[in-house]
Amino acid sequence: MNDSLADLARLISIGTALIQQDGILLDERRWDEWLELFLPDCTFWAPMWGDETGINEQTDNALSHFFYESRKGLEDRLVRVRSGKSPASTPLPRTAHLISNIAAVGTATVDKMTLRATWVCHVLFVRSRTQHVFFGRSEYKLEPASAGWRIRSKKIILQNDDIPSMLDIYCL
Amino acid sequence: MRFVDTSALVDDRPHQGVFRVHRDVFADAALFELEMENVFGRTWAFLGTESQVAKPNDFITAWIGRTPILVARDGAGKLAAFLNICPHKGTQLAHAEQGNAKYHVCAYHGWGFDPAGKNVDIKDRAAACYPPAFEAQNHDLVPIARVTAYGGLIFGSLSPEVPTLDDYLGELKPFIDMAMQQGPHGMEVVRGRVCYTYRGNWKLQMENAMDQYHLTSVHASYMSVMDKRRQGEGHTDAHQFDWNKRVLQQSGMFNFSHGHSVTWINQAEVEKRPIYPVMDEIRSRVGAVKADWMLKAKIALIFPNFQIADGTTLNLRTFRPISVGLTEMRLHCIAPIGEDPALRRWRLRQFEDFFGASGFASPDDAACFEAAQRGYAARPYDWLQGYSRGITSLRDGADEHAAQLGIRPVASLAGDFDLNCETTLHSPYREWARLMSGRSSGENELQS
């Protein structure tokens, strides 16, 4: 393997580890560390399906499950998660994220990379003793920062949008 | 059609200040089946907005109870509604939630229909050796008994014996106007499929929106988020309402005939409404009173399963019964056609923040619905106690707020937010009892 191929493989490996941390930290409820994966001025976007045939492709005039143009939206979600006052979140649902089919979109460089992934999130809603599986695919834009690579943007497509009551930030 | 003795299900004795509902109303599967016939089969149901079927050959699919409905505008611009089934073998015909189609062709055996419901093709008809009896049958789509629009909202009924839509909506019509007249060019549905289910009876959602009493307990976590936003931190793009101010406001309700009711709260932070920057135009078009009421927080229940919710961000909401313990929620975020792009973004961020399965509010309501549905299995336990708040404050007819609006409700009530009345539920359960027991309209004139 020549140097540039090894470099590329190392980059993808770093990116892969980062997006796997996204799922791991959520499952382990290490909320502050999870938040730190995202740059403060990140974009977090889970568009809604417009109808059965197409996912919404913009946010100016179409709805999203989540659309935040900074990390502040994620911080607010964690306020609710930690409040202990949300009936739907008490006890907190348990999750297991499986993130796979990771591949680079375009060329990864030392300055940035875009990775796509297929994700499955198993959720046990403890309060109702019911289970659900959310699944879909994501696209992450990653950048190096002072403490390591970070998430510049995460776009999530939820494939199964018939939702049993709750879709919280740790279900994606 | 079978009726039941509802005296054992809705205990309505106004002279004794008693109103109770039996737990079976939410949990008995046999009553649920009767509801499909007696309630959903004999009322008007919201089917969609006229903006969703604006052009020739546009269609939407909807439900009345568990009956699938096809609403289509034909080539000449006429609106019609049918059972969404092929008359050949009863197969569901149109599958898309909305679209445009010159013909609807059944996937099963290829029978084709135009948007006026006329059967235009029976596959291989010439070779079929059909008997005269078949040829004499009507093979068109089955029209539903009534379909009419008011204010840009399309309603339908499976029964020809319902009052006219105008009579059915009655004195509640101004509350439809308050929603549908917010835009100078009409209202449209913002693209986005807001759909989720909860494991509970459809009437749990019916009650919840008309019940302010739950706000500070169920949505306490939302109020925690607002504590942070009050400091200017967090997702302030949502322009979200601070309920610390809301709970200090005056609020009230109206009961109407045919099972409808309205709950209202004065709006503490009118400037957070996406229509606030264009109030001058609205005021010049609808007048000061209606314009001011547009800014108030209010929810209208149009019995049985349609709400116009305008407490946070305006939306239309149906809660579709699937089984006694399973309901599907659908929300339409409606907005003025031609709305300024910045106001549209404001509206959407505010809506997303609060509503739907990913919002801060709905999941907590649903968790309580599911807990209620589980609780209904408890024995011995029969009469629920949740319908008494406000009884001694109710007055017949119009109060000053109704008079200001020029409406004549059956009953009114107003007071501090903490009153948190439950009397908004008297109207729907009275109508429920009337329909389930088979009493005629004339016998519904119970005292409020």
Side-chain angles (χ1 to χ4, degrees), chain B residues 122-169:
Chain B
I122 291 178
K123 194 172 66 164
D124 303 332
R125 188 172 198 159
C129 301
Y130 281 125
F134 179 88
E135 299 294 357
Q137 276 184 301
N138 184 331
H139 306 298
D140 295 337
L141 297 183
V142 179
I144 64 173
R146 297 278 182 272
V147 58
T148 313
Y150 175 81
L153 303 180
I154 304 168
F155 293 84
S157 179
L158 298 176
S159 168
E161 287 164 18
V162 289
T164 64
L165 181 64
D166 202 74
D167 283 349
Y168 189 77
L169 298 174

Side-chain angles (χ1 to χ4, degrees), chain A residues 59-157:
Chain A
T59 56
D60 282 348
N61 197 14
L63 290 168
S64 306
H65 294 294
F66 300 100
F67 176 57
Y68 303 131
E69 291 184 286
S70 83
R71 205 167 66 181
K72 294 178 187 175
L74 303 181
E75 292 167 10
D76 283 358
R77 303 297 314 191
L78 294 181
V79 166
R80 177 156 173 274
V81 164
R82 290 167 142 149
S83 70
K85 298 178 192 173
S86 156
S89 318
T90 311
L92 210 51
R94 303 178 202 155
T95 62
H97 285 75
L98 299 168
I99 299 175
S100 185
N101 295 358
I102 297 169
V105 179
T107 308
T109 70
V110 294
D111 298 313
K112 59 182 175 139
M113 73 176 103
T114 300
L115 297 182
R116 59 91 56 214
T118 303
W119 62 270
V120 172
C121 182
H122 292 262
V123 185
L124 174 70
F125 294 104
V126 183
R127 191 185 185 96
S128 57
R129 282 287 157 184
T130 52
Q131 285 180 227
H132 189 70
V133 183
F134 294 103
F135 60 88
R137 59 183 186 276
S138 294
E139 190 177 273
Y140 293 78
K141 291 191 186 335
L142 309 176
E143 282 174 16
S146 53
W149 283 74
R150 291 290 179 264
I151 300 170
R152 158 65 57 202
S153 78
K154 180 179 178 186
K155 179 181 172 187
I156 304 145
I157 292 177

Side-chain angles (χ1 to χ4, degrees), chain B residues 328-408:
Chain B
E328 182 190 79
M329 292 287 295
R330 296 297 300 264
L331 273 67
H332 293 326
C333 175
I334 57 168
I337 291 171
E339 185 171 39
D340 177 89
L343 299 181
R344 179 63 59 99
R345 282 192 294 274
W346 169 349
R347 175 186 299 278
L348 300 197
R349 302 295 86 81
Q350 189 184 72
F351 176 89
E352 289 160 358
D353 192 48
F354 198 81
F355 293 105
S358 51
F360 277 125
S362 310
D364 289 321
D365 293 316
C368 291
F369 299 167
E370 296 190 353
Q373 200 71 25
R374 291 193 295 273
Y376 298 142
R379 297 288 182 276
Y381 181 57
D382 45 21
W383 292 103
L384 309 179
Q385 301 174 357
Y387 306 88
S388 294
R389 292 184 73 97
I391 282 181
T392 59
S393 187
L394 259 184
R395 50 176 291 180
D396 287 349
D399 64 3
E400 79 221 54
H401 305 283
Q404 186 196 37
L405 270 175
I407 59 171
R408 289 158 303 154

Side-chain angles (χ1 to χ4, degrees), chain B residues 160-391:
Chain B
E161 287 164 18
V162 289
T164 64
L165 181 64
D166 202 74
D167 283 349
Y168 189 77
L169 298 174
E171 295 295 300
L172 177 132
K173 285 199 286 292
F175 288 93
I176 296 181
D177 298 343
M178 283 175 215
M180 301 306 286
Q181 289 176 3
Q182 288 187 14
H185 311 290
M187 304 293 277
E188 62 187 359
V189 179
V190 176
R191 196 175 149 82
R193 193 173 175 274
V194 190
C195 176
Y196 60 94
T197 52
Y198 66 83
R199 292 179 188 88
N201 188 265
W202 63 276
K203 294 185 291 302
L204 284 159
Q205 171 60 38
M206 183 186 85
E207 294 201 359
N208 175 270
M210 314 317 290
D211 151 20
Q212 296 168 23
Y213 191 31
H214 79 276
L215 296 185
T216 51
S217 32
V218 174
H219 300 307
S221 67
Y222 159 79
M223 295 175 81
S224 297
V225 174
M226 288 313 296
D227 284 343
K228 190 163 163 245
R229 299 234 186 120
R230 206 174 296 128
Q231 322 298 330
E233 293 164 22
H235 181 50
T236 49
D237 286 352
H239 298 264
Q240 203 48 269
F241 292 93
D242 183 350
W243 284 4
N244 274 13
K245 299 192 177 103
R246 181 167 288 190
V247 301
L248 302 173
Q249 302 302 309
Q250 287 289 292
S251 100
M253 63 119 249
F254 306 117
N255 274 336
F256 298 98
S257 299
H258 304 293
H260 317 316
S261 58
V262 162
T263 177
W264 62 265
I265 314 171
N266 281 337
Q267 188 68 274
E269 297 174 292
V270 291
E271 70 280 2
K272 290 195 172 159
R273 288 277 203 202
I275 56 168
Y276 185 73
V278 294
M279 283 313 292
D280 286 346
E281 187 281 322
I282 293 175
R283 210 163 262 127
S284 69
R285 183 165 42 84
V286 307
V289 170
K290 216 176 223 177
D292 286 345
W293 272 85
M294 281 182 181
L295 292 172
K296 287 190 205 289
K298 52 205 175 292
I299 301 184
L301 165 68
I302 294 157
F303 187 81
N305 69 330
F306 176 51
Q307 286 160 349
I308 301 175
D310 200 7
T312 303
T313 320
L314 177 62
N315 66 90
L316 308 177
R317 176 191 299 169
T318 56
F319 24 106
R320 172 165 83 86
I322 298 173
S323 67
V324 68
L326 187 63
T327 304
E328 182 190 79
M329 292 287 295
R330 296 297 300 264
L331 273 67
H332 293 326
C333 175
I334 57 168
I337 291 171
E339 185 171 39
D340 177 89
L343 299 181
R344 179 63 59 99
R345 282 192 294 274
W346 169 349
R347 175 186 299 278
L348 300 197
R349 302 295 86 81
Q350 189 184 72
F351 176 89
E352 289 160 358
D353 192 48
F354 198 81
F355 293 105
S358 51
F360 277 125
S362 310
D364 289 321
D365 293 316
C368 291
F369 299 167
E370 296 190 353
Q373 200 71 25
R374 291 193 295 273
Y376 298 142
R379 297 288 182 276
Y381 181 57
D382 45 21
W383 292 103
L384 309 179
Q385 301 174 357
Y387 306 88
S388 294
R389 292 184 73 97
I391 282 181

